[in-house]
Amino acid sequence: MTSSAVLFRPFVSPKLSLPNRIVMAPMTRSHSPGGVPGPDVAAYYRRRAEGGVGLILTEGTGIAHDAALNDPKVPFFHGAAALAGWAEVLKGVHESGGKIMPQLWHVGLMRKPGDGPNPEVTPVGPSGVGARPVQLGAGGLAENVVPPMTDNQIAEVIAAYAHSAAAAKRLGFDGIELHGAHGYLIDQFFWSATNRRADRYGGNLAQRTRFAVEVVQACRRAVGADFPIILRFSQWKIADFAAKLATAPDELGRFLAPLVDTGVDLFHCSQRRFWQAEFPGSDLNLAGWTKKLTGMPTITVGSVGLDDDFLTGFVEKKGSEIEGIDRLLRMIEQDEVDLVAVGRALLVDPAWAAKVRDGRLDELVPFTPTALMRLD
């Protein structure tokens, strides 16, 4: 049995050094009325840093574009009031010895007409074809929701990403994560079901990375060469759990190559269950294949420490029991992946990392749906 000590080895890369391998996964909390994170949000993140998390990735934060969000209580990452709130979050995490990056988010056509915080604003998406999550994981596609984004609209959104990235650098954050997963805007450009464009932003899978490439390039110009940029991507979508961007390793390699070339420093590879192999004939999961194909550091994620995925909590309103992490420890020991993002286990227990570190496994807390409603 591999010792949990492997989770507490330092991680060192050219742009990012962490005291251990544990990352707090981004989890939407909807506790920031008016888009402004308050003292309760700062305390929430500080508790996870005090509990031994090496890197915190914040909940998704809205970039400086009026159609970026579909929930008026999700925090902005622009504007004086919101950025002042994030400065307090940052202060608390750094004082507790942690590191933190905002996840920059645009929901695209996951936003419906009339959604807050700007109900008068029309949603945007690559081809006017939107995911329709009537029930999480059981939605579909809504055709011709809005006209396809124009070149000017695309340029405005790219500039908004760069604006928020520059704010993160200015405030003193430790990097940024771009949310390119789960069927949100960047992923809508990746996915053939929602990107049917015939211009330079469409085409085959590698060509459909162009929007993301230009977002990364704009952010890089805004933050400089040494500021870490993480890209989160997934195969699955909220509207289609069975969706695949790549059905084989060589296809995944073609998808990743332009993103590596443009300067992504680390890939956050989202799965619902981290232990599931991505392709037949190999035990490697999505993060493992991404590292093998690119040589870049990766974060694995997906129901770490629990026996079932988020669907049980978010849709079925059921709890999840504690599950061992031996498979995860072997993956890190064998250098298949570099970091591990922990979601619901940290949501319910801010001290999860410290308990694992100290061998207090009998004190770990099962996940219950009531944790989704709290900010503690």
Side-chain angles (χ1 to χ4, degrees):
M1 182 182 297
T2 304
S3 168
S4 61
V6 300
L7 278 176
F8 298 93
R9 294 174 181 171
F11 169 78
V12 179
S13 70
K15 298 180 187 178
L16 181 64
S17 296
L18 302 174
N20 61 52
R21 306 304 178 102
I22 298 174
V23 177
M24 180 178 178
M27 291 173 284
T28 301
R29 306 305 296 130
S30 297
H31 280 276
S32 298
V36 177
D40 54 345
V41 175
Y44 164 79
Y45 285 113
R46 180 170 190 146
R47 280 190 290 271
R48 274 71 189 172
E50 291 172 341
V53 172
L55 173 64
I56 291 171
L57 298 173
T58 75
E59 62 208 284
T61 67
I63 61 171
H65 186 262
D66 286 346
L69 296 177
N70 58 357
D71 182 338
K73 294 184 179 180
V74 167
F76 303 153
F77 210 85
H78 61 90
L83 293 180
W86 282 116
E88 290 303 308
V89 173
L90 175 67
K91 178 182 177 184
V93 169
H94 279 179
E95 286 179 348
S96 302
K99 294 192 176 183
I100 183 170
M101 302 182 186
Q103 186 190 70
L104 305 184
W105 192 24
H106 194 301
V107 303
L109 286 177
M110 292 292 284
R111 182 177 189 271
K112 302 184 299 296
D115 281 349
N118 299 305
E120 74 286 357
V121 174
T122 301
V124 297
S127 299
V129 178
R132 187 173 52 197
V134 177
Q135 179 180 342
L136 190 64
L141 297 176
E143 302 283 342
N144 303 317
V145 177
V146 296
M149 291 174 75
T150 66
D151 284 357
N152 284 342
Q153 287 176 314
I154 288 173
E156 288 172 357
V157 171
I158 291 171
Y161 275 106
H163 178 85
S164 291
K169 174 71 178 292
R170 184 173 66 252
L171 288 174
F173 279 81
D174 299 291
I176 58 169
E177 175 169 279
L178 301 172
H179 195 342
H182 307 164
Y184 296 109
L185 182 62
I186 291 176
D187 199 21
Q188 287 164 23
F189 276 89
F190 289 155
W191 191 21
S192 61
T194 47
N195 184 350
R196 304 176 186 178
R197 301 176 73 99
D199 64 1
R200 66 187 187 277
Y201 293 102
N204 63 35
L205 179 55
Q207 291 167 336
R208 295 196 302 272
T209 66
R210 183 182 182 109
F211 176 74
V213 164
E214 292 187 4
V215 169
V216 174
Q217 289 172 336
C219 290
R220 178 62 68 206
R221 290 191 295 270
V223 300
D226 297 328
F227 197 67
I229 296 177
I230 299 173
L231 176 69
R232 191 182 213 202
F233 78 98
S234 67
Q235 298 263 46
W236 68 276
K237 321 299 172 196
I238 287 176
D240 184 356
F241 283 174
K244 293 277 190 180
L245 296 176
T247 57
D250 59 344
E251 195 173 13
L252 180 63
R254 290 194 295 272
F255 165 72
L256 292 167
L259 300 165
V260 173
D261 291 343
T262 202
V264 172
D265 297 303
L266 197 151
F267 288 98
H268 186 177
C269 310
S270 179
Q271 291 183 262
R272 292 167 57 209
R273 304 174 180 94
F274 80 88
W275 57 86
Q276 292 185 333
E278 189 58 40
F279 302 117
S282 169
D283 290 336
L284 292 176
N285 71 358
L286 184 61
W289 271 112
T290 298
K291 182 170 183 176
K292 180 175 181 177
L293 292 166
T294 67
M296 302 297 292
T298 59
I299 305 172
T300 192
V301 68
S303 304
V304 173
L306 299 172
D307 67 353
D308 210 345
D309 73 10
F310 71 94
L311 185 65
T312 60
F314 283 86
V315 175
E316 299 175 8
K317 306 302 182 185
K318 296 179 181 177
S320 295
E321 295 301 318
I322 296 164
E323 182 73 14
I325 56 172
D326 289 348
R327 169 74 178 114
L328 174 70
L329 298 176
R330 291 195 300 272
M331 290 165 61
I332 297 174
E333 179 70 28
Q334 295 166 8
D335 203 30
E336 294 178 17
V337 302
D338 298 278
L339 301 167
V340 53
V342 182
R344 288 170 297 138
L346 267 174
L347 191 64
V348 74
D349 186 359
W352 185 89
K355 290 177 181 179
V356 172
R357 181 194 63 211
D358 299 339
R360 294 181 286 139
L361 303 185
D362 59 331
E363 297 180 21
L364 295 177
V365 181
F367 174 79
T368 59
T370 55
L372 298 173
M373 308 303 296
R374 305 194 307 262
L375 194 68
D376 57 24

